[in-house]
Amino acid sequence: DSMNDANFESDNANTAILTLDNELEWMKSVLLLNGEEDEENLRTGERTIQDELFLLRMDDCIVQSKDFYEDMKFSMAIKFAFNDLRNHRKSYRDYHEKCGIDMHAD
């Protein structure tokens, strides 16, 4: 990693906290309904090509992140571990919303 002090600035910290809070709220809304698992918002059974593509993208982000963490390239690790993974999830979610299909439970 570089010697830049990009790890902490007040604006970046506030943005990161807001982003994490928004992600947590979205996950709660998808996975929980009144404190119980909401199985009606997620489908089970056979996976579509979009489901498989999303799983492959997640796996790729995990492998890339692991490699960057092992090489101590923390800013790149965060890029793959959080930003890219979140962008892939957003694309997956948007696709299913536009098509009127529930996301897969897996």
Side-chain angles (χ1 to χ4, degrees), residues 40-52:
E40 293 179 13
N41 284 340
L42 302 173
R43 64 184 161 76
T44 57
E46 191 173 332
R47 293 184 186 137
T48 65
I49 189 74
Q50 293 302 107
D51 298 328
E52 294 295 335

Side-chain angles (χ1 to χ4, degrees), residues 47-59:
R47 293 184 186 137
T48 65
I49 189 74
Q50 293 302 107
D51 298 328
E52 294 295 335
L53 179 61
F54 179 59
L55 291 174
L56 288 172
R57 287 178 172 168
M58 286 194 321
D59 289 343

Side-chain angles (χ1 to χ4, degrees), residues 16-29 82 85-87 89-90 93:
I17 291 168
L18 181 60
T19 301
L20 287 170
D21 189 56
N22 289 339
E23 288 296 308
L24 179 61
E25 290 303 315
W26 178 81
M27 288 178 199
K28 285 180 183 178
S29 73
F82 183 72
L85 192 61
R86 185 174 51 121
N87 288 337
R89 192 260 312 145
K90 183 181 181 309
R93 179 190 65 196

Side-chain angles (χ1 to χ4, degrees), residues 11-102:
D11 291 341
N12 289 345
N14 290 337
T15 301
I17 291 168
L18 181 60
T19 301
L20 287 170
D21 189 56
N22 289 339
E23 288 296 308
L24 179 61
E25 290 303 315
W26 178 81
M27 288 178 199
K28 285 180 183 178
S29 73
V30 169
L31 299 176
L32 299 175
L33 178 67
N34 297 326
E36 299 177 12
E37 287 191 25
D38 183 9
E39 297 176 4
E40 293 179 13
N41 284 340
L42 302 173
R43 64 184 161 76
T44 57
E46 191 173 332
R47 293 184 186 137
T48 65
I49 189 74
Q50 293 302 107
D51 298 328
E52 294 295 335
L53 179 61
F54 179 59
L55 291 174
L56 288 172
R57 287 178 172 168
M58 286 194 321
D59 289 343
D60 184 51
C61 285
I62 292 167
V63 168
Q64 295 261 357
S65 299
K66 180 182 178 288
D67 292 344
F68 283 123
Y69 274 121
E70 288 174 351
D71 292 342
M72 298 179 69
K73 296 180 179 177
F74 300 112
S75 59
M76 290 301 293
I78 295 296
K79 177 187 181 307
F80 283 96
F82 183 72
N83 296 328
D84 285 4
L85 192 61
R86 185 174 51 121
N87 288 337
H88 292 313
R89 192 260 312 145
K90 183 181 181 309
S91 295
Y92 178 75
R93 179 190 65 196
D94 291 348
Y95 170 82
H96 285 83
E97 285 178 359
K98 288 177 184 176
C99 293
I101 303 170
D102 291 333

